[in-house]
PDB file of all heavy atoms in Angstrom:
ATOM      1  N   ASP A 127       6.868  35.114 -54.849  1.00 45.00           N
ATOM      2  CA  ASP A 127       7.789  35.216 -55.999  1.00 45.00           C
ATOM      3  C   ASP A 127       8.919  36.219 -55.715  1.00 45.00           C
ATOM      4  O   ASP A 127      10.093  35.941 -56.005  1.00 45.00           O
ATOM      5  CB  ASP A 127       7.064  35.624 -57.271  1.00 45.00           C
ATOM      6  CG  ASP A 127       6.235  34.494 -57.872  1.00 45.00           C
ATOM      7  OD1 ASP A 127       6.432  33.347 -57.467  1.00 45.00           O
ATOM      8  OD2 ASP A 127       5.409  34.788 -58.764  1.00 45.00           O
ATOM      9  N   LYS A 128       8.593  37.360 -55.193  1.00 46.00           N
ATOM     10  CA  LYS A 128       9.566  38.410 -54.868  1.00 46.00           C
ATOM     11  C   LYS A 128      10.573  37.899 -53.812  1.00 46.00           C
ATOM     12  O   LYS A 128      11.738  38.150 -53.896  1.00 46.00           O
ATOM     13  CB  LYS A 128       8.915  39.678 -54.390  1.00 46.00           C
ATOM     14  CG  LYS A 128       8.271  40.479 -55.519  1.00 46.00           C
ATOM     15  CD  LYS A 128       7.687  41.770 -55.045  1.00 46.00           C
ATOM     16  CE  LYS A 128       7.048  42.511 -56.185  1.00 46.00           C
ATOM     17  NZ  LYS A 128       6.409  43.739 -55.780  1.00 46.00           N
ATOM     18  N   MET A 129      10.053  37.170 -52.791  1.00 45.00           N
ATOM     19  CA  MET A 129      10.905  36.635 -51.758  1.00 45.00           C
ATOM     20  C   MET A 129      11.898  35.606 -52.363  1.00 45.00           C
ATOM     21  O   MET A 129      13.060  35.634 -52.050  1.00 45.00           O
ATOM     22  CB  MET A 129      10.081  35.947 -50.689  1.00 45.00           C
ATOM     23  CG  MET A 129      10.301  36.477 -49.334  1.00 45.00           C
ATOM     24  SD  MET A 129       9.188  35.842 -48.050  1.00 45.00           S
ATOM     25  CE  MET A 129       9.110  34.113 -48.323  1.00 45.00           C
ATOM     26  N   MET A 130      11.416  34.742 -53.262  1.00 47.00           N
ATOM     27  CA  MET A 130      12.289  33.764 -53.873  1.00 47.00           C
ATOM     28  C   MET A 130      13.359  34.455 -54.736  1.00 47.00           C
ATOM     29  O   MET A 130      14.475  33.973 -54.751  1.00 47.00           O
ATOM     30  CB  MET A 130      11.481  32.781 -54.693  1.00 47.00           C
ATOM     31  CG  MET A 130      10.706  31.775 -53.823  1.00 47.00           C
ATOM     32  SD  MET A 130       9.908  30.508 -54.776  1.00 47.00           S
ATOM     33  CE  MET A 130      11.301  29.608 -55.444  1.00 47.00           C
ATOM     34  N   GLN A 131      12.991  35.535 -55.447  1.00 49.00           N
ATOM     35  CA  GLN A 131      13.987  36.245 -56.235  1.00 49.00           C
ATOM     36  C   GLN A 131      15.068  36.817 -55.350  1.00 49.00           C
ATOM     37  O   GLN A 131      16.254  36.847 -55.781  1.00 49.00           O
ATOM     38  CB  GLN A 131      13.330  37.330 -57.024  1.00 49.00           C
ATOM     39  CG  GLN A 131      12.488  36.815 -58.212  1.00 49.00           C
ATOM     40  CD  GLN A 131      11.686  37.918 -58.931  1.00 49.00           C
ATOM     41  OE1 GLN A 131      11.663  39.054 -58.485  1.00 49.00           O
ATOM     42  NE2 GLN A 131      11.038  37.540 -59.995  1.00 49.00           N
ATOM     43  N   LYS A 132      14.755  37.274 -54.174  1.00 62.00           N
ATOM     44  CA  LYS A 132      15.750  37.865 -53.265  1.00 62.00           C
ATOM     45  C   LYS A 132      16.677  36.778 -52.750  1.00 62.00           C
ATOM     46  O   LYS A 132      17.827  37.031 -52.444  1.00 62.00           O
ATOM     47  CB  LYS A 132      15.080  38.592 -52.106  1.00 62.00           C
ATOM     48  CG  LYS A 132      14.428  39.904 -52.511  1.00 62.00           C
ATOM     49  CD  LYS A 132      13.820  40.546 -51.280  1.00 62.00           C
ATOM     50  CE  LYS A 132      13.133  41.845 -51.699  1.00 62.00           C
ATOM     51  NZ  LYS A 132      12.510  42.511 -50.523  1.00 62.00           N
ATOM     52  N   GLU A 133      16.162  35.546 -52.609  1.00 93.00           N
ATOM     53  CA  GLU A 133      16.963  34.465 -52.070  1.00 93.00           C
ATOM     54  C   GLU A 133      18.002  33.950 -53.085  1.00 93.00           C
ATOM     55  O   GLU A 133      18.948  33.324 -52.713  1.00 93.00           O
ATOM     56  CB  GLU A 133      16.041  33.326 -51.641  1.00 93.00           C
ATOM     57  CG  GLU A 133      15.230  33.680 -50.388  1.00 93.00           C
ATOM     58  CD  GLU A 133      14.252  32.590 -49.997  1.00 93.00           C
ATOM     59  OE1 GLU A 133      14.376  31.484 -50.520  1.00 93.00           O
ATOM     60  OE2 GLU A 133      13.367  32.853 -49.164  1.00 93.00           O
ATOM     61  N   VAL A 134      17.794  34.208 -54.376  1.00 97.00           N
ATOM     62  CA  VAL A 134      18.706  33.725 -55.401  1.00 97.00           C
ATOM     63  C   VAL A 134      19.769  34.834 -55.556  1.00 97.00           C
ATOM     64  O   VAL A 134      19.473  35.972 -55.901  1.00 97.00           O
ATOM     65  CB  VAL A 134      18.013  33.433 -56.735  1.00 97.00           C
ATOM     66  CG1 VAL A 134      18.992  33.059 -57.800  1.00 97.00           C
ATOM     67  CG2 VAL A 134      16.945  32.380 -56.573  1.00 97.00           C
ATOM     68  N   LYS A 135      21.022  34.448 -55.337  1.00 98.00           N
ATOM     69  CA  LYS A 135      22.124  35.434 -55.491  1.00 98.00           C
ATOM     70  C   LYS A 135      22.876  35.141 -56.797  1.00 98.00           C
ATOM     71  O   LYS A 135      22.927  34.024 -57.286  1.00 98.00           O
ATOM     72  CB  LYS A 135      23.076  35.263 -54.297  1.00 98.00           C
ATOM     73  CG  LYS A 135      22.399  35.616 -52.981  1.00 98.00           C
ATOM     74  CD  LYS A 135      23.305  35.418 -51.806  1.00 98.00           C
ATOM     75  CE  LYS A 135      22.550  35.546 -50.489  1.00 98.00           C
ATOM     76  NZ  LYS A 135      21.951  34.350 -50.036  1.00 98.00           N
ATOM     77  N   THR A 136      23.499  36.181 -57.309  1.00 98.00           N
ATOM     78  CA  THR A 136      24.279  36.076 -58.531  1.00 98.00           C
ATOM     79  C   THR A 136      25.766  36.082 -58.231  1.00 98.00           C
ATOM     80  O   THR A 136      26.251  36.938 -57.441  1.00 98.00           O
ATOM     81  CB  THR A 136      23.931  37.187 -59.556  1.00 98.00           C
ATOM     82  OG1 THR A 136      22.536  37.103 -59.837  1.00 98.00           O
ATOM     83  CG2 THR A 136      24.754  37.086 -60.810  1.00 98.00           C
ATOM     84  N   VAL A 137      26.499  35.169 -58.838  1.00 98.00           N
ATOM     85  CA  VAL A 137      27.966  35.125 -58.711  1.00 98.00           C
ATOM     86  C   VAL A 137      28.580  35.379 -60.063  1.00 98.00           C
ATOM     87  O   VAL A 137      28.209  34.658 -61.027  1.00 98.00           O
ATOM     88  CB  VAL A 137      28.464  33.733 -58.177  1.00 98.00           C
ATOM     89  CG1 VAL A 137      29.964  33.668 -58.210  1.00 98.00           C
ATOM     90  CG2 VAL A 137      27.913  33.466 -56.847  1.00 98.00           C
ATOM     91  N   SER A 138      29.370  36.430 -60.208  1.00 98.00           N
ATOM     92  CA  SER A 138      29.978  36.733 -61.475  1.00 98.00           C
ATOM     93  C   SER A 138      31.361  36.114 -61.622  1.00 98.00           C
ATOM     94  O   SER A 138      32.156  36.153 -60.686  1.00 98.00           O
ATOM     95  CB  SER A 138      30.163  38.278 -61.626  1.00 98.00           C
ATOM     96  OG  SER A 138      28.896  38.903 -61.616  1.00 98.00           O
ATOM     97  N   LEU A 139      31.541  35.424 -62.741  1.00 98.00           N
ATOM     98  CA  LEU A 139      32.796  34.749 -63.037  1.00 98.00           C
ATOM     99  C   LEU A 139      33.322  35.272 -64.375  1.00 98.00           C
ATOM    100  O   LEU A 139      32.508  35.401 -65.322  1.00 98.00           O
ATOM    101  CB  LEU A 139      32.625  33.257 -63.145  1.00 98.00           C
ATOM    102  CG  LEU A 139      32.168  32.518 -61.841  1.00 98.00           C
ATOM    103  CD1 LEU A 139      31.831  31.060 -62.169  1.00 98.00           C
ATOM    104  CD2 LEU A 139      33.275  32.635 -60.815  1.00 98.00           C
ATOM    105  N   GLU A 140      34.579  35.548 -64.446  1.00 98.00           N
ATOM    106  CA  GLU A 140      35.217  36.063 -65.698  1.00 98.00           C
ATOM    107  C   GLU A 140      36.270  35.081 -66.172  1.00 98.00           C
ATOM    108  O   GLU A 140      37.072  34.576 -65.345  1.00 98.00           O
ATOM    109  CB  GLU A 140      35.824  37.406 -65.466  1.00 98.00           C
ATOM    110  CG  GLU A 140      36.521  37.975 -66.729  1.00 98.00           C
ATOM    111  CD  GLU A 140      37.386  39.179 -66.406  1.00 98.00           C
ATOM    112  OE1 GLU A 140      37.922  39.302 -65.260  1.00 98.00           O
ATOM    113  OE2 GLU A 140      37.516  40.067 -67.295  1.00 98.00           O
ATOM    114  N   GLN A 141      36.217  34.793 -67.463  1.00 98.00           N
ATOM    115  CA  GLN A 141      37.288  33.925 -68.034  1.00 98.00           C
ATOM    116  C   GLN A 141      38.203  34.743 -68.929  1.00 98.00           C
ATOM    117  O   GLN A 141      37.697  35.566 -69.723  1.00 98.00           O
ATOM    118  CB  GLN A 141      36.692  32.793 -68.826  1.00 98.00           C
ATOM    119  CG  GLN A 141      36.049  31.707 -68.003  1.00 98.00           C
ATOM    120  CD  GLN A 141      35.669  30.510 -68.812  1.00 98.00           C
ATOM    121  OE1 GLN A 141      36.501  30.002 -69.554  1.00 98.00           O
ATOM    122  NE2 GLN A 141      34.461  30.064 -68.655  1.00 98.00           N
ATOM    123  N   THR A 142      39.512  34.522 -68.819  1.00 98.00           N
ATOM    124  CA  THR A 142      40.516  35.034 -69.703  1.00 98.00           C
ATOM    125  C   THR A 142      41.174  33.764 -70.322  1.00 98.00           C
ATOM    126  O   THR A 142      40.786  32.643 -70.006  1.00 98.00           O
ATOM    127  CB  THR A 142      41.528  35.905 -68.951  1.00 98.00           C
ATOM    128  OG1 THR A 142      42.141  35.080 -67.964  1.00 98.00           O
ATOM    129  CG2 THR A 142      40.894  37.128 -68.378  1.00 98.00           C
ATOM    130  N   LYS A 143      42.121  33.973 -71.222  1.00 97.00           N
ATOM    131  CA  LYS A 143      42.727  32.811 -71.869  1.00 97.00           C
ATOM    132  C   LYS A 143      43.310  31.814 -70.844  1.00 97.00           C
ATOM    133  O   LYS A 143      44.189  32.124 -70.104  1.00 97.00           O
ATOM    134  CB  LYS A 143      43.822  33.308 -72.810  1.00 97.00           C
ATOM    135  CG  LYS A 143      44.326  32.208 -73.726  1.00 97.00           C
ATOM    136  CD  LYS A 143      45.112  32.790 -74.931  1.00 97.00           C
ATOM    137  CE  LYS A 143      45.542  31.711 -75.884  1.00 97.00           C
ATOM    138  NZ  LYS A 143      44.476  31.012 -76.536  1.00 97.00           N
ATOM    139  N   GLY A 144      42.660  30.587 -70.862  1.00 97.00           N
ATOM    140  CA  GLY A 144      43.113  29.543 -69.984  1.00 97.00           C
ATOM    141  C   GLY A 144      42.863  29.649 -68.522  1.00 97.00           C
ATOM    142  O   GLY A 144      43.389  28.809 -67.738  1.00 97.00           O
ATOM    143  N   ALA A 145      42.052  30.602 -68.082  1.00 98.00           N
ATOM    144  CA  ALA A 145      41.894  30.768 -66.629  1.00 98.00           C
ATOM    145  C   ALA A 145      40.590  31.536 -66.285  1.00 98.00           C
ATOM    146  O   ALA A 145      40.063  32.311 -67.111  1.00 98.00           O
ATOM    147  CB  ALA A 145      43.044  31.575 -66.071  1.00 98.00           C
ATOM    148  N   PHE A 146      40.111  31.292 -65.112  1.00 98.00           N
ATOM    149  CA  PHE A 146      39.083  32.126 -64.509  1.00 98.00           C
ATOM    150  C   PHE A 146      39.833  33.140 -63.677  1.00 98.00           C
ATOM    151  O   PHE A 146      40.883  32.862 -63.097  1.00 98.00           O
ATOM    152  CB  PHE A 146      38.191  31.324 -63.535  1.00 98.00           C
ATOM    153  CG  PHE A 146      37.053  30.603 -64.234  1.00 98.00           C
ATOM    154  CD1 PHE A 146      37.223  29.306 -64.644  1.00 98.00           C
ATOM    155  CD2 PHE A 146      35.839  31.179 -64.421  1.00 98.00           C
ATOM    156  CE1 PHE A 146      36.202  28.581 -65.214  1.00 98.00           C
ATOM    157  CE2 PHE A 146      34.795  30.480 -65.012  1.00 98.00           C
ATOM    158  CZ  PHE A 146      34.978  29.189 -65.449  1.00 98.00           C
ATOM    159  N   THR A 147      39.346  34.390 -63.596  1.00 97.00           N
ATOM    160  CA  THR A 147      40.050  35.389 -62.775  1.00 97.00           C
ATOM    161  C   THR A 147      39.684  35.141 -61.271  1.00 97.00           C
ATOM    162  O   THR A 147      40.489  35.566 -60.427  1.00 97.00           O
ATOM    163  CB  THR A 147      39.650  36.837 -63.188  1.00 97.00           C
ATOM    164  OG1 THR A 147      38.221  36.945 -63.127  1.00 97.00           O
ATOM    165  CG2 THR A 147      40.141  37.155 -64.588  1.00 97.00           C
ATOM    166  N   GLN A 148      38.602  34.457 -60.982  1.00 97.00           N
ATOM    167  CA  GLN A 148      38.277  34.082 -59.604  1.00 97.00           C
ATOM    168  C   GLN A 148      38.803  32.685 -59.391  1.00 97.00           C
ATOM    169  O   GLN A 148      38.243  31.720 -59.944  1.00 97.00           O
ATOM    170  CB  GLN A 148      36.742  34.106 -59.396  1.00 97.00           C
ATOM    171  CG  GLN A 148      36.106  35.457 -59.611  1.00 97.00           C
ATOM    172  CD  GLN A 148      35.893  35.821 -61.066  1.00 97.00           C
ATOM    173  OE1 GLN A 148      36.071  35.014 -61.982  1.00 97.00           O
ATOM    174  NE2 GLN A 148      35.519  37.044 -61.325  1.00 97.00           N
ATOM    175  N   THR A 149      39.889  32.556 -58.623  1.00 96.00           N
ATOM    176  CA  THR A 149      40.576  31.246 -58.507  1.00 96.00           C
ATOM    177  C   THR A 149      40.033  30.416 -57.355  1.00 96.00           C
ATOM    178  O   THR A 149      40.440  29.253 -57.221  1.00 96.00           O
ATOM    179  CB  THR A 149      42.081  31.448 -58.398  1.00 96.00           C
ATOM    180  OG1 THR A 149      42.317  32.275 -57.220  1.00 96.00           O
ATOM    181  CG2 THR A 149      42.688  32.081 -59.630  1.00 96.00           C
ATOM    182  N   ALA A 150      39.177  30.940 -56.530  1.00 95.00           N
ATOM    183  CA  ALA A 150      38.508  30.218 -55.442  1.00 95.00           C
ATOM    184  C   ALA A 150      37.297  30.997 -55.012  1.00 95.00           C
ATOM    185  O   ALA A 150      37.348  32.252 -55.038  1.00 95.00           O
ATOM    186  CB  ALA A 150      39.470  30.020 -54.279  1.00 95.00           C
ATOM    187  N   LEU A 151      36.270  30.334 -54.585  1.00 97.00           N
ATOM    188  CA  LEU A 151      35.062  31.009 -54.150  1.00 97.00           C
ATOM    189  C   LEU A 151      34.608  30.342 -52.801  1.00 97.00           C
ATOM    190  O   LEU A 151      34.743  29.151 -52.642  1.00 97.00           O
ATOM    191  CB  LEU A 151      33.928  30.844 -55.106  1.00 97.00           C
ATOM    192  CG  LEU A 151      34.041  31.483 -56.479  1.00 97.00           C
ATOM    193  CD1 LEU A 151      32.892  31.011 -57.389  1.00 97.00           C
ATOM    194  CD2 LEU A 151      33.974  33.009 -56.289  1.00 97.00           C
ATOM    195  N   THR A 152      34.132  31.181 -51.916  1.00 98.00           N
ATOM    196  CA  THR A 152      33.489  30.709 -50.697  1.00 98.00           C
ATOM    197  C   THR A 152      32.078  31.353 -50.634  1.00 98.00           C
ATOM    198  O   THR A 152      31.996  32.574 -50.645  1.00 98.00           O
ATOM    199  CB  THR A 152      34.309  31.059 -49.426  1.00 98.00           C
ATOM    200  OG1 THR A 152      35.595  30.468 -49.584  1.00 98.00           O
ATOM    201  CG2 THR A 152      33.640  30.508 -48.146  1.00 98.00           C
ATOM    202  N   LEU A 153      31.105  30.524 -50.558  1.00 98.00           N
ATOM    203  CA  LEU A 153      29.715  31.017 -50.567  1.00 98.00           C
ATOM    204  C   LEU A 153      28.948  30.407 -49.383  1.00 98.00           C
ATOM    205  O   LEU A 153      29.356  29.332 -48.840  1.00 98.00           O
ATOM    206  CB  LEU A 153      28.995  30.588 -51.882  1.00 98.00           C
ATOM    207  CG  LEU A 153      29.628  30.988 -53.181  1.00 98.00           C
ATOM    208  CD1 LEU A 153      28.928  30.367 -54.337  1.00 98.00           C
ATOM    209  CD2 LEU A 153      29.610  32.520 -53.316  1.00 98.00           C
ATOM    210  N   ALA A 154      27.878  31.049 -49.014  1.00 98.00           N
ATOM    211  CA  ALA A 154      26.980  30.496 -48.018  1.00 98.00           C
ATOM    212  C   ALA A 154      26.063  29.512 -48.701  1.00 98.00           C
ATOM    213  O   ALA A 154      25.807  29.615 -49.933  1.00 98.00           O
ATOM    214  CB  ALA A 154      26.140  31.610 -47.383  1.00 98.00           C
ATOM    215  N   GLU A 155      25.575  28.555 -47.974  1.00 97.00           N
ATOM    216  CA  GLU A 155      24.613  27.594 -48.523  1.00 97.00           C
ATOM    217  C   GLU A 155      23.429  28.373 -49.074  1.00 97.00           C
ATOM    218  O   GLU A 155      22.971  29.333 -48.456  1.00 97.00           O
ATOM    219  CB  GLU A 155      24.161  26.682 -47.391  1.00 97.00           C
ATOM    220  CG  GLU A 155      23.376  25.479 -47.843  1.00 97.00           C
ATOM    221  CD  GLU A 155      23.125  24.514 -46.703  1.00 97.00           C
ATOM    222  OE1 GLU A 155      23.098  24.890 -45.550  1.00 97.00           O
ATOM    223  OE2 GLU A 155      22.964  23.284 -47.021  1.00 97.00           O
ATOM    224  N   GLY A 156      22.958  28.010 -50.263  1.00 98.00           N
ATOM    225  CA  GLY A 156      21.825  28.709 -50.872  1.00 98.00           C
ATOM    226  C   GLY A 156      21.712  28.506 -52.333  1.00 98.00           C
ATOM    227  O   GLY A 156      22.334  27.561 -52.874  1.00 98.00           O
ATOM    228  N   THR A 157      20.963  29.338 -53.003  1.00 98.00           N
ATOM    229  CA  THR A 157      20.685  29.222 -54.429  1.00 98.00           C
ATOM    230  C   THR A 157      21.390  30.346 -55.159  1.00 98.00           C
ATOM    231  O   THR A 157      21.247  31.523 -54.788  1.00 98.00           O
ATOM    232  CB  THR A 157      19.207  29.211 -54.660  1.00 98.00           C
ATOM    233  OG1 THR A 157      18.567  28.168 -53.895  1.00 98.00           O
ATOM    234  CG2 THR A 157      18.869  29.020 -56.119  1.00 98.00           C
ATOM    235  N   TYR A 158      22.047  29.991 -56.250  1.00 98.00           N
ATOM    236  CA  TYR A 158      22.892  30.938 -57.006  1.00 98.00           C
ATOM    237  C   TYR A 158      22.678  30.812 -58.464  1.00 98.00           C
ATOM    238  O   TYR A 158      22.399  29.713 -59.032  1.00 98.00           O
ATOM    239  CB  TYR A 158      24.393  30.682 -56.741  1.00 98.00           C
ATOM    240  CG  TYR A 158      24.746  30.958 -55.292  1.00 98.00           C
ATOM    241  CD1 TYR A 158      24.658  29.966 -54.308  1.00 98.00           C
ATOM    242  CD2 TYR A 158      25.178  32.217 -54.867  1.00 98.00           C
ATOM    243  CE1 TYR A 158      24.967  30.231 -52.985  1.00 98.00           C
ATOM    244  CE2 TYR A 158      25.482  32.489 -53.564  1.00 98.00           C
ATOM    245  CZ  TYR A 158      25.377  31.490 -52.629  1.00 98.00           C
ATOM    246  OH  TYR A 158      25.678  31.781 -51.328  1.00 98.00           O
ATOM    247  N   ILE A 159      22.818  31.939 -59.135  1.00 98.00           N
ATOM    248  CA  ILE A 159      22.925  32.006 -60.620  1.00 98.00           C
ATOM    249  C   ILE A 159      24.356  32.437 -60.902  1.00 98.00           C
ATOM    250  O   ILE A 159      24.818  33.419 -60.285  1.00 98.00           O
ATOM    251  CB  ILE A 159      21.888  32.983 -61.237  1.00 98.00           C
ATOM    252  CG1 ILE A 159      20.486  32.424 -61.084  1.00 98.00           C
ATOM    253  CG2 ILE A 159      22.250  33.257 -62.695  1.00 98.00           C
ATOM    254  CD1 ILE A 159      19.399  33.359 -61.525  1.00 98.00           C
ATOM    255  N   PHE A 160      25.042  31.689 -61.753  1.00 98.00           N
ATOM    256  CA  PHE A 160      26.391  32.070 -62.157  1.00 98.00           C
ATOM    257  C   PHE A 160      26.308  32.822 -63.420  1.00 98.00           C
ATOM    258  O   PHE A 160      25.692  32.433 -64.411  1.00 98.00           O
ATOM    259  CB  PHE A 160      27.265  30.842 -62.285  1.00 98.00           C
ATOM    260  CG  PHE A 160      27.453  30.100 -60.957  1.00 98.00           C
ATOM    261  CD1 PHE A 160      26.569  29.093 -60.600  1.00 98.00           C
ATOM    262  CD2 PHE A 160      28.460  30.462 -60.112  1.00 98.00           C
ATOM    263  CE1 PHE A 160      26.726  28.431 -59.377  1.00 98.00           C
ATOM    264  CE2 PHE A 160      28.625  29.796 -58.889  1.00 98.00           C
ATOM    265  CZ  PHE A 160      27.723  28.818 -58.551  1.00 98.00           C
ATOM    266  N   GLU A 161      27.000  33.988 -63.438  1.00 98.00           N
ATOM    267  CA  GLU A 161      27.088  34.875 -64.628  1.00 98.00           C
ATOM    268  C   GLU A 161      28.492  34.802 -65.124  1.00 98.00           C
ATOM    269  O   GLU A 161      29.412  35.154 -64.429  1.00 98.00           O
ATOM    270  CB  GLU A 161      26.730  36.312 -64.169  1.00 98.00           C
ATOM    271  CG  GLU A 161      26.607  37.263 -65.275  1.00 98.00           C
ATOM    272  CD  GLU A 161      26.194  38.639 -64.741  1.00 98.00           C
ATOM    273  OE1 GLU A 161      27.038  39.284 -64.086  1.00 98.00           O
ATOM    274  OE2 GLU A 161      25.027  38.993 -64.944  1.00 98.00           O
ATOM    275  N   VAL A 162      28.678  34.214 -66.324  1.00 98.00           N
ATOM    276  CA  VAL A 162      30.005  33.917 -66.885  1.00 98.00           C
ATOM    277  C   VAL A 162      30.312  34.902 -68.041  1.00 98.00           C
ATOM    278  O   VAL A 162      29.536  35.016 -68.981  1.00 98.00           O
ATOM    279  CB  VAL A 162      30.104  32.489 -67.361  1.00 98.00           C
ATOM    280  CG1 VAL A 162      31.502  32.192 -67.951  1.00 98.00           C
ATOM    281  CG2 VAL A 162      29.771  31.543 -66.246  1.00 98.00           C
ATOM    282  N   SER A 163      31.422  35.620 -67.880  1.00 98.00           N
ATOM    283  CA  SER A 163      31.882  36.558 -68.914  1.00 98.00           C
ATOM    284  C   SER A 163      33.057  35.998 -69.675  1.00 98.00           C
ATOM    285  O   SER A 163      33.975  35.433 -69.038  1.00 98.00           O
ATOM    286  CB  SER A 163      32.289  37.930 -68.266  1.00 98.00           C
ATOM    287  OG  SER A 163      31.198  38.518 -67.633  1.00 98.00           O
ATOM    288  N   ASN A 164      33.075  36.228 -70.964  1.00 98.00           N
ATOM    289  CA  ASN A 164      34.164  35.743 -71.834  1.00 98.00           C
ATOM    290  C   ASN A 164      35.019  36.982 -72.214  1.00 98.00           C
ATOM    291  O   ASN A 164      34.624  37.709 -73.113  1.00 98.00           O
ATOM    292  CB  ASN A 164      33.645  35.062 -73.066  1.00 98.00           C
ATOM    293  CG  ASN A 164      34.692  34.542 -73.985  1.00 98.00           C
ATOM    294  OD1 ASN A 164      35.849  34.900 -73.892  1.00 98.00           O
ATOM    295  ND2 ASN A 164      34.304  33.684 -74.943  1.00 98.00           N
TER     296      ASN A 164
END
């Protein structure tokens, strides 16, 4: 369980009016949780 938790990475995304502040992303193949801020 601990190993699997380490393998999941978090990507933070922020939204402002009409846009994401991150306009492009490059990630390695894998498992991700996206954290979206308003």
Side-chain angles (χ1 to χ4, degrees):
D127 285 347
K128 285 182 181 178
M129 237 172 45
M130 286 187 66
Q131 287 174 354
K132 286 182 182 178
E133 291 176 12
V134 177
K135 298 174 187 91
T136 300
V137 175
S138 296
L139 297 171
E140 177 190 31
Q141 287 190 51
T142 58
K143 190 163 183 65
F146 277 92
T147 56
Q148 299 78 8
T149 59
L151 294 171
T152 301
L153 304 172
E155 189 172 28
T157 304
Y158 295 88
I159 290 175
F160 295 92
E161 186 178 72
V162 180
S163 298
N164 181 345

